[in-house]
Amino acid sequence: MRRLVTLLALGLLAVSAPAQEAAFALDAYQRAASLALPQAWQVRDSARKTLRLAQAFGEVGDARTAGFLVDVAIVLHGVNRSLTVSELMAWHRAFPANDLIRNDLAWTILVSGGDPQAALALMRGNRHWEGASLDTLAYAQLRCGLPAEALQTMLDVFAMEAHPGPLYFDHLGDILCANGFPDEALRAWGRARSLYRCFLEAGGDPDEALSEGYDDAQTRRKRTALKVLRGARPKPRPAAPPPWQGKLRQGKENA
């Protein structure tokens, strides 16, 4: 998302546009990118307004900036679900060669309960691949009942990404589970949670991870459910350390 903010800012600086419209687009996206999800109502109309601004740039022949603005609208839609999928698909058809729009639109369809076949069709039209787009493709393949294909695609993600984040490990766990590898799935989900904790310890914002698609609570639920199904019920954690724990530690130190 931050990459899009930079690209959008450069695009707006590179063209002459009404100052009020340009300022609105930049402000709207910066508010969405700030990830203030509890205040999402503040941008409830921004997605449709941003699409209108994209149309204005398209009419003057600046397809590059128009494409950026369409992608901005898709991300804003991800914040507050203010557009219909048919509206988003119509804008994708206006920019069929834009892989960034294709990826964000397919991901929005998948996470909003849309038709996974539509998301898969979108991703199969991709021209240039990176970790994020391959991850979207793998998740679409999984949702369409193609776990073996999804696993191969996910392996390509990990071959491409030097430092895969928790979302990738979360999806890897889903795909491994669907392919009949429960032990490996548990390890992948555990790695996702470990990376997420490192992210928080480094000062990361939980809302940022959530906006990118990673939900630690969901990962924990999936991991716990699989353990229960396999008969390895998680042991309850004590609310406080045992009263003798400190004494044993103290005794060891004194010895």
Side-chain angles (χ1 to χ4, degrees):
M1 292 183 72
R2 286 169 181 158
R3 179 185 62 179
L4 286 176
V5 173
T6 304
L7 291 173
L8 175 60
L10 292 173
L12 290 173
L13 289 172
V15 298
S16 76
Q20 186 175 1
E21 290 185 345
F24 162 76
L26 189 56
D27 175 65
Y29 191 62
Q30 283 177 335
R31 279 188 286 160
S34 70
L35 305 170
L37 297 182
Q39 286 77 40
W41 61 269
Q42 294 178 351
V43 292
R44 63 182 181 273
D45 298 324
S46 296
R48 195 164 281 110
K49 288 179 181 178
T50 304
L51 283 179
R52 287 200 293 268
L53 183 58
Q55 183 177 8
F57 277 102
E59 288 172 352
V60 299
D62 189 349
R64 181 177 174 82
T65 302
F68 286 148
L69 288 168
V70 171
D71 200 56
V72 167
I74 292 170
V75 176
L76 287 169
H77 167 76
V79 173
N80 53 46
R81 302 288 186 265
S82 56
L83 299 170
T84 65
V85 171
S86 60
E87 283 181 292
L88 294 173
M89 290 295 290
W91 281 99
H92 163 67
R93 287 190 287 271
F95 300 93
N98 192 314
D99 287 343
L100 196 60
I101 292 175
R102 182 181 293 108
N103 178 63
D104 281 355
L105 177 54
W107 180 247
T108 298
I109 291 172
L110 289 170
V111 299
S112 60
D115 181 9
Q117 293 288 347
L120 182 58
L122 278 171
M123 294 310 299
R124 282 179 170 166
N126 222 45
R127 299 184 181 186
H128 305 287
W129 294 98
E130 55 185 28
S133 52
L134 282 171
D135 174 66
T136 302
L137 173 62
Y139 200 59
Q141 290 169 331
L142 177 65
R143 292 280 303 279
C144 289
L146 302 169
E149 287 185 25
L151 181 56
Q152 184 55 58
T153 303
M154 206 67 205
L155 293 177
D156 293 339
V157 173
F158 280 83
M160 181 176 291
E161 290 287 321
H163 303 287
L167 179 62
Y168 292 164
F169 278 97
D170 181 66
H171 287 170
L172 177 62
D174 296 348
I175 292 168
L176 287 168
C177 189
N179 277 279
F181 301 109
D183 292 336
E184 291 79 359
L186 288 171
R187 283 195 287 270
W189 286 330
R191 180 62 175 156
R193 300 203 65 212
S194 176
L195 286 172
Y196 179 67
R197 286 192 294 269
C198 291
F199 167 76
L200 295 182
E201 290 169 0
D205 185 348
D207 284 339
E208 182 176 353
L210 191 61
S211 74
E212 295 296 332
Y214 180 71
D215 183 347
D216 188 60
Q218 187 178 62
T219 305
R220 184 175 64 251
R221 285 194 295 270
K222 289 186 292 189
R223 195 166 177 235
T224 302
L226 182 57
K227 284 183 176 181
V228 170
L229 284 173
R230 301 181 71 229
R233 294 182 179 273
K235 297 178 181 179
R237 294 182 179 180
W244 41 261
Q245 183 173 341
K247 294 180 181 178
L248 287 179
R249 187 179 295 118
Q250 184 180 4
K252 186 178 294 186
E253 291 171 354
N254 292 338

mmCIF file of all heavy atoms in Angstrom, residues 122-138:
data_model
loop_
_atom_site.group_PDB
_atom_site.id
_atom_site.type_symbol
_atom_site.label_atom_id
_atom_site.label_comp_id
_atom_site.label_asym_id
_atom_site.label_seq_id
_atom_site.Cartn_x
_atom_site.Cartn_y
_atom_site.Cartn_z
ATOM 1 N N LEU A 122 -8.972 -13.824 -13.565
ATOM 2 C CA LEU A 122 -8.215 -12.573 -13.570
ATOM 3 C C LEU A 122 -6.719 -12.843 -13.468
ATOM 4 O O LEU A 122 -5.920 -12.317 -14.243
ATOM 5 C CB LEU A 122 -8.656 -11.689 -12.401
ATOM 6 C CG LEU A 122 -9.913 -10.838 -12.575
ATOM 7 C CD1 LEU A 122 -10.292 -10.218 -11.241
ATOM 8 C CD2 LEU A 122 -9.685 -9.756 -13.619
ATOM 9 N N MET A 123 -6.321 -13.679 -12.516
ATOM 10 C CA MET A 123 -4.908 -13.901 -12.268
ATOM 11 C C MET A 123 -4.238 -14.678 -13.395
ATOM 12 O O MET A 123 -3.046 -14.504 -13.646
ATOM 13 C CB MET A 123 -4.701 -14.634 -10.936
ATOM 14 C CG MET A 123 -5.106 -13.816 -9.720
ATOM 15 S SD MET A 123 -4.402 -12.146 -9.728
ATOM 16 C CE MET A 123 -2.647 -12.483 -9.707
ATOM 17 N N ARG A 124 -4.978 -15.499 -14.100
ATOM 18 C CA ARG A 124 -4.380 -16.241 -15.211
ATOM 19 C C ARG A 124 -4.058 -15.336 -16.396
ATOM 20 O O ARG A 124 -3.363 -15.743 -17.312
ATOM 21 C CB ARG A 124 -5.307 -17.385 -15.620
ATOM 22 C CG ARG A 124 -5.207 -18.575 -14.660
ATOM 23 C CD ARG A 124 -6.117 -19.714 -15.024
ATOM 24 N NE ARG A 124 -5.809 -20.908 -14.230
ATOM 25 C CZ ARG A 124 -6.589 -21.959 -14.127
ATOM 26 N NH1 ARG A 124 -7.757 -21.977 -14.764
ATOM 27 N NH2 ARG A 124 -6.235 -22.998 -13.396
ATOM 28 N N GLY A 125 -4.580 -14.104 -16.354
ATOM 29 C CA GLY A 125 -4.233 -13.143 -17.387
ATOM 30 C C GLY A 125 -3.034 -12.287 -17.028
ATOM 31 O O GLY A 125 -2.683 -11.366 -17.775
ATOM 32 N N ASN A 126 -2.392 -12.587 -15.900
ATOM 33 C CA ASN A 126 -1.244 -11.784 -15.459
ATOM 34 C C ASN A 126 -0.072 -11.944 -16.419
ATOM 35 O O ASN A 126 0.128 -13.012 -17.008
ATOM 36 C CB ASN A 126 -0.823 -12.212 -14.051
ATOM 37 C CG ASN A 126 -0.481 -11.050 -13.163
ATOM 38 O OD1 ASN A 126 -1.206 -10.057 -13.138
ATOM 39 N ND2 ASN A 126 0.613 -11.150 -12.443
ATOM 40 N N ARG A 127 0.726 -10.881 -16.545
ATOM 41 C CA ARG A 127 1.870 -10.922 -17.461
ATOM 42 C C ARG A 127 3.204 -10.953 -16.710
ATOM 43 O O ARG A 127 4.135 -11.619 -17.135
ATOM 44 C CB ARG A 127 1.827 -9.703 -18.378
ATOM 45 C CG ARG A 127 0.563 -9.650 -19.247
ATOM 46 C CD ARG A 127 0.598 -8.480 -20.204
ATOM 47 N NE ARG A 127 -0.611 -8.413 -21.007
ATOM 48 C CZ ARG A 127 -0.787 -7.555 -22.001
ATOM 49 N NH1 ARG A 127 0.158 -6.683 -22.315
ATOM 50 N NH2 ARG A 127 -1.924 -7.564 -22.696
ATOM 51 N N HIS A 128 3.295 -10.208 -15.633
ATOM 52 C CA HIS A 128 4.545 -10.137 -14.867
ATOM 53 C C HIS A 128 4.246 -10.594 -13.437
ATOM 54 O O HIS A 128 3.338 -10.073 -12.793
ATOM 55 C CB HIS A 128 5.099 -8.711 -14.881
ATOM 56 C CG HIS A 128 5.299 -8.163 -16.261
ATOM 57 N ND1 HIS A 128 6.319 -8.583 -17.085
ATOM 58 C CD2 HIS A 128 4.589 -7.241 -16.967
ATOM 59 C CE1 HIS A 128 6.242 -7.942 -18.236
ATOM 60 N NE2 HIS A 128 5.201 -7.128 -18.192
ATOM 61 N N TRP A 129 5.045 -11.547 -12.954
ATOM 62 C CA TRP A 129 4.754 -12.165 -11.664
ATOM 63 C C TRP A 129 5.730 -11.707 -10.599
ATOM 64 O O TRP A 129 6.912 -11.502 -10.855
ATOM 65 C CB TRP A 129 4.813 -13.686 -11.787
ATOM 66 C CG TRP A 129 3.737 -14.230 -12.660
ATOM 67 C CD1 TRP A 129 3.852 -14.577 -13.973
ATOM 68 C CD2 TRP A 129 2.374 -14.461 -12.305
ATOM 69 N NE1 TRP A 129 2.642 -15.010 -14.454
ATOM 70 C CE2 TRP A 129 1.712 -14.959 -13.461
ATOM 71 C CE3 TRP A 129 1.640 -14.311 -11.130
ATOM 72 C CZ2 TRP A 129 0.373 -15.304 -13.460
ATOM 73 C CZ3 TRP A 129 0.302 -14.649 -11.129
ATOM 74 C CH2 TRP A 129 -0.321 -15.135 -12.285
ATOM 75 N N GLU A 130 5.198 -11.541 -9.393
ATOM 76 C CA GLU A 130 6.005 -11.307 -8.207
ATOM 77 C C GLU A 130 5.371 -12.092 -7.074
ATOM 78 O O GLU A 130 4.328 -12.757 -7.261
ATOM 79 C CB GLU A 130 6.094 -9.819 -7.882
ATOM 80 C CG GLU A 130 4.747 -9.137 -7.739
ATOM 81 C CD GLU A 130 4.906 -7.635 -7.535
ATOM 82 O OE1 GLU A 130 5.896 -7.059 -8.003
ATOM 83 O OE2 GLU A 130 4.013 -7.061 -6.879
ATOM 84 N N GLY A 131 5.980 -12.023 -5.875
ATOM 85 C CA GLY A 131 5.485 -12.846 -4.773
ATOM 86 C C GLY A 131 4.019 -12.614 -4.453
ATOM 87 O O GLY A 131 3.251 -13.566 -4.268
ATOM 88 N N ALA A 132 3.605 -11.344 -4.405
ATOM 89 C CA ALA A 132 2.226 -11.024 -4.027
ATOM 90 C C ALA A 132 1.224 -11.563 -5.041
ATOM 91 O O ALA A 132 0.175 -12.111 -4.671
ATOM 92 C CB ALA A 132 2.074 -9.511 -3.874
ATOM 93 N N SER A 133 1.525 -11.421 -6.327
ATOM 94 C CA SER A 133 0.575 -11.888 -7.344
ATOM 95 C C SER A 133 0.531 -13.418 -7.393
ATOM 96 O O SER A 133 -0.547 -14.004 -7.584
ATOM 97 C CB SER A 133 0.924 -11.304 -8.711
ATOM 98 O OG SER A 133 2.280 -11.537 -9.043
ATOM 99 N N LEU A 134 1.681 -14.073 -7.196
ATOM 100 C CA LEU A 134 1.670 -15.537 -7.140
ATOM 101 C C LEU A 134 0.893 -16.041 -5.928
ATOM 102 O O LEU A 134 0.195 -17.054 -5.996
ATOM 103 C CB LEU A 134 3.105 -16.068 -7.097
ATOM 104 C CG LEU A 134 3.868 -16.098 -8.424
ATOM 105 C CD1 LEU A 134 5.334 -16.439 -8.192
ATOM 106 C CD2 LEU A 134 3.241 -17.094 -9.397
ATOM 107 N N ASP A 135 1.000 -15.322 -4.809
ATOM 108 C CA ASP A 135 0.247 -15.700 -3.613
ATOM 109 C C ASP A 135 -1.252 -15.591 -3.875
ATOM 110 O O ASP A 135 -2.022 -16.469 -3.474
ATOM 111 C CB ASP A 135 0.648 -14.804 -2.447
ATOM 112 C CG ASP A 135 -0.199 -15.055 -1.210
ATOM 113 O OD1 ASP A 135 -0.101 -16.156 -0.636
ATOM 114 O OD2 ASP A 135 -0.962 -14.149 -0.823
ATOM 115 N N THR A 136 -1.664 -14.527 -4.548
ATOM 116 C CA THR A 136 -3.080 -14.377 -4.903
ATOM 117 C C THR A 136 -3.526 -15.509 -5.812
ATOM 118 O O THR A 136 -4.614 -16.080 -5.641
ATOM 119 C CB THR A 136 -3.323 -13.032 -5.590
ATOM 120 O OG1 THR A 136 -2.904 -11.976 -4.724
ATOM 121 C CG2 THR A 136 -4.805 -12.834 -5.909
ATOM 122 N N LEU A 137 -2.692 -15.855 -6.795
ATOM 123 C CA LEU A 137 -3.020 -16.962 -7.699
ATOM 124 C C LEU A 137 -3.160 -18.269 -6.921
ATOM 125 O O LEU A 137 -4.122 -19.024 -7.135
ATOM 126 C CB LEU A 137 -1.926 -17.097 -8.762
ATOM 127 C CG LEU A 137 -2.042 -18.311 -9.691
ATOM 128 C CD1 LEU A 137 -3.333 -18.247 -10.503
ATOM 129 C CD2 LEU A 137 -0.833 -18.401 -10.617
ATOM 130 N N ALA A 138 -2.225 -18.529 -6.011
ATOM 131 C CA ALA A 138 -2.283 -19.771 -5.229
ATOM 132 C C ALA A 138 -3.554 -19.829 -4.390
ATOM 133 O O ALA A 138 -4.205 -20.883 -4.307
ATOM 134 C CB ALA A 138 -1.049 -19.879 -4.337
#
